[in-house]
Amino acid sequence: MKISFLLKELIVIAKKQKTDFALHMNMTPSGLSKILTEKGIPTIKDRKIFTKLASEYFAQNIYSPGCYWKFENIFPVIYDFESQDDLQSFLSYAIEYALDGAFTEEININLDCSERGQYYIGKRPVLGLLCILLSDYVTSNSNNPLEIYFSIPLLDSSYTKIFQKMVLIGKDGFKNIIFNFFYNKNFLNELEQKNPGTISFDSILSLIVKYQKHFQINLWETSQDISPFLLLKGNILMFFNAQIDGTPILTAVYNKSYIAVFYNILMKRDARKISYEKEEIITFLEDNPDFFDKLADKKLKSVYNFTSFGYMLTNEELDTLNGDKTLKNNLKKLFDDAMSNNTNYSVSSTSMDKFISMGKVIVPFIGTFYFPPNKRIPYLQRFDSYLKEGSYNKMKIINSDLSNMVIFCFEEFSLAYVISDTYEREIMHFFGTNKINDILYDEMIKSSELSMDFSTELWNAYQQELIDHIH
């Protein structure tokens, strides 16, 4: 990240004149001009005071609640600042980072060959530098594919919360990014044990959905332990660690030879990709026409719905959608199985509210079916036919922030379907374990705060509330 580019953009965001900034910095306009035209940078002696004065100036003139949106052109990866002091700290890290880059260029240091790494210690520095480093490489590679390989300590709530705070605000800057997420399959066993401080599986799923909104994400499952890392292939490698008291430490490595060796070792592990894009799924189904027949032999235990699926579409309605007739028929059988008395069926209240407001239901890898406002309540009322005697105890309404996802839990494995906000991208994640159903049950169904038992009275009251809302 060029210091000239950073300062010019911050001046624009602050809506100030260059002369005003120069006056605050105790600089002449010509002195500032040298920095903005890359003809000079502050000396080592002056850099500390330069960073302090500049970060103070911009924080004072930019900060307001939600102001992180103003930094889209500079920091497409960022977080919501809690205070002016929080913004000032972030800007000081960014200015220091840009000055470090300018200094290494000036004295002709090649970090690509350096055997030393850079260390950042503390939650705020780690969060800030992660956003700055990722933003720098995302913006500089906006027209080229960028492959990211990633494994975080999922059971370390400090690190998981750091990544949960990060938001992606670039409009088009992520379209060429492929995000590969590695996890040790044994972590599901540890999640099930509910150790103190363990992050919830719900939060991990939310993290996956959050990133999948912006770029292609692939999950990789491995049985081997991998030290927490984030690799931008061919560019930079970051390791995550912690001090004895739990304070996070981020180490950034730039040595290209080391990065290449690390990547080669990583891909020779026993990692198995478990994520499939729509095109991959369609090709697989064409090559394996008996897949759904084999799937029907597996016991479907539970379905967790965090978006609106077309379970109750008629054959006539399905026929109006473009797509393979055989695939539609097979999906219809899967839908009927999900709504049977033998399957535990959970649906989030948010997904039902979203259907009422938008009128769309999804048929995976086929398309979406739209209901006009006057047809939405009648569609929901089709659910009544599934509520036969004795089936209410199989139905649950969940209060969850999860969205754009449906999870099918079979006896031996689980399938997680995820769709983007625009309904343009669809991915299926295949988890070869039966642990997910137990974990979701413990986190969402056992808790009376997160789930409600289904009943005729509750369902009728909900329908009446929706009717009243519409009218």
Side-chain angles (χ1 to χ4, degrees):
M1 180 178 292
K2 298 286 187 180
I3 185 64
S4 57
F5 168 74
L6 176 62
L7 293 178
K8 287 177 182 177
E9 289 291 328
L10 290 175
I11 290 170
V12 171
I13 295 171
K15 297 181 179 180
K16 293 292 183 177
Q17 298 294 322
K18 295 176 184 177
T19 52
D20 186 69
F21 175 56
L23 183 63
H24 175 85
M25 299 295 292
N26 298 317
M27 300 177 66
T28 63
S30 60
L32 175 60
S33 179
K34 287 183 179 180
I35 299 175
L36 298 182
T37 56
E38 301 183 16
K39 294 179 179 178
I41 59 171
T43 63
I44 293 291
K45 179 181 177 182
D46 295 333
R47 280 175 57 184
K48 187 173 183 180
I49 187 65
F50 180 91
T51 299
K52 179 178 183 297
L53 290 174
S55 59
E56 284 179 350
Y57 177 82
F58 291 121
Q60 289 171 1
N61 289 288
I62 294 175
Y63 179 75
S64 64
C67 65
Y68 67 95
W69 285 102
K70 300 177 182 179
F71 297 92
E72 179 181 352
N73 291 334
I74 324 173
F75 304 112
V77 183
I78 201 167
Y79 65 96
D80 192 2
F81 307 108
E82 297 178 356
S83 63
Q84 182 175 311
D85 177 67
D86 194 10
L87 173 58
Q88 182 177 331
S89 294
F90 175 80
L91 292 177
S92 68
Y93 301 141
I95 294 168
E96 286 177 357
Y97 173 78
L99 286 173
D100 284 341
F103 179 70
T104 57
E105 283 188 14
E106 187 175 66
I107 62 175
N108 200 27
I109 292 179
N110 187 1
L111 289 178
D112 293 350
C113 300
S114 174
E115 295 182 358
R116 298 182 180 182
Q118 293 177 299
Y119 298 84
Y120 308 100
I121 302 175
K123 290 183 180 179
R124 184 180 280 184
V126 168
L127 173 59
L129 265 300
L130 265 174
C131 292
I132 293 163
L133 287 167
L134 289 172
S135 292
D136 189 15
Y137 285 98
V138 167
T139 54
S140 62
N141 288 273
S142 59
N143 296 320
N144 301 307
L146 180 63
E147 295 182 40
I148 300 176
Y149 297 81
F150 184 43
S151 171
I152 62 171
L154 290 169
L155 300 182
D156 186 324
S157 59
S158 295
Y159 272 114
T160 310
K161 288 176 180 177
I162 283 175
F163 281 94
Q164 285 177 319
K165 286 197 70 174
M166 294 165 61
V167 293
L168 309 176
I169 60 175
K171 291 180 180 178
D172 301 313
F174 306 106
K175 60 184 178 181
N176 292 321
I177 293 179
I178 301 175
F179 195 93
N180 297 280
F181 181 75
F182 288 72
Y183 73 93
N184 187 318
K185 60 184 180 182
N186 293 326
F187 96 91
L188 292 173
N189 297 328
E190 298 179 56
L191 272 177
E192 196 175 19
Q193 295 171 7
K194 299 299 177 189
N195 296 326
T198 295
I199 201 73
S200 69
F201 190 57
D202 179 293
S203 298
I204 294 170
L205 292 176
S206 296
L207 200 61
I208 292 170
V209 172
K210 172 183 174 180
Y211 291 145
Q212 191 166 300
K213 291 179 180 179
H214 298 275
F215 37 69
Q216 178 181 337
I217 183 168
N218 296 319
L219 301 185
W220 294 75
E221 183 182 82
T222 178
S223 59
Q224 299 185 31
D225 290 329
I226 299 178
S227 298
F229 72 92
L230 194 156
L231 168 67
L232 278 66
K233 185 180 177 182
N235 293 291
I236 184 173
L237 173 62
M238 290 172 266
F239 289 109
F240 304 96
N241 210 322
Q243 291 183 311
I244 295 175
D245 63 355
T247 301
I249 303 173
L250 169 66
T251 305
V253 178
Y254 295 88
N255 186 291
K256 290 294 192 290
S257 297
Y258 185 90
I259 292 172
V261 170
F262 180 91
Y263 172 77
N264 289 331
I265 293 175
L266 174 69
M267 299 312 293
K268 289 180 180 178
R269 292 287 187 109
D270 67 340
R272 180 174 64 92
K273 188 166 81 79
I274 65 168
S275 303
Y276 305 91
E277 294 273 344
K278 177 179 178 178
E279 294 75 15
E280 295 175 295
I281 290 290
I282 296 299
T283 300
F284 171 82
L285 293 176
E286 290 173 350
D287 295 338
N288 298 270
D290 59 342
F291 172 77
F292 279 98
D293 292 333
K294 293 180 179 179
L295 196 63
D297 294 333
K298 308 294 183 182
K299 179 176 173 53
L300 180 59
K301 298 176 66 176
S302 303
V303 181
Y304 295 86
N305 298 275
F306 306 102
T307 193
S308 300
F309 256 28
Y311 294 107
M312 299 173 292
L313 289 175
T314 64
N315 289 330
E316 292 73 20
E317 288 166 339
L318 281 171
D319 287 340
T320 65
L321 298 176
N322 295 324
D324 182 74
K325 178 70 173 178
T326 301
L327 178 56
K328 291 179 188 178
N329 292 337
N330 285 325
L331 287 171
K332 182 64 175 173
K333 293 176 184 177
L334 178 62
F335 289 168
D336 290 341
D337 195 12
M339 298 294 292
S340 73
N341 289 341
N342 297 321
T343 303
N344 293 311
Y345 182 92
S346 302
V347 58
S348 69
S349 56
T350 303
S351 68
M352 290 193 289
D353 293 341
K354 188 175 180 179
F355 166 73
I356 290 298
S357 64
M358 298 186 65
K360 289 184 177 181
V361 294
I362 300 163
V363 181
F365 312 115
I366 294 292
T368 58
F369 189 92
Y370 175 76
F371 286 91
N374 63 327
K375 299 291 185 181
R376 293 171 192 174
I377 296 298
Y379 174 75
L380 285 183
Q381 289 173 338
R382 297 180 192 179
F383 196 58
D384 297 347
S385 63
Y386 292 93
L387 299 177
K388 300 173 183 177
E389 189 68 29
S391 66
Y392 286 107
N393 62 336
K394 297 277 187 178
M395 306 287 180
K396 300 289 182 182
I397 296 179
I398 307 171
N399 292 317
S400 172
D401 292 332
L402 262 178
S403 63
N404 296 6
M405 175 181 282
V406 175
I407 303 174
F408 294 89
C409 297
F410 293 84
E411 279 191 330
E412 300 173 2
F413 58 88
S414 297
L415 300 175
Y417 169 89
V418 186
I419 191 167
S420 64
D421 287 336
T422 58
Y423 301 93
E424 293 177 353
R425 295 191 61 242
E426 302 170 87
I427 292 184
M428 185 72 79
H429 303 293
F430 177 87
F431 296 92
T433 176
N434 59 1
K435 297 290 184 183
I436 289 179
N437 181 55
D438 297 334
I439 294 171
L440 290 176
Y441 179 82
D442 288 343
E443 291 184 359
M444 297 184 178
I445 307 302
K446 269 189 176 181
S447 173
S448 60
E449 297 178 357
L450 292 180
S451 68
M452 295 179 286
D453 293 330
F454 222 88
S455 67
T456 305
E457 294 78 11
L458 176 63
W459 181 235
N460 290 338
Y462 180 73
Q463 290 181 66
Q464 186 59 51
E465 181 182 338
L466 292 176
I467 292 171
D468 295 340
H469 177 72
I470 291 176
H471 295 292

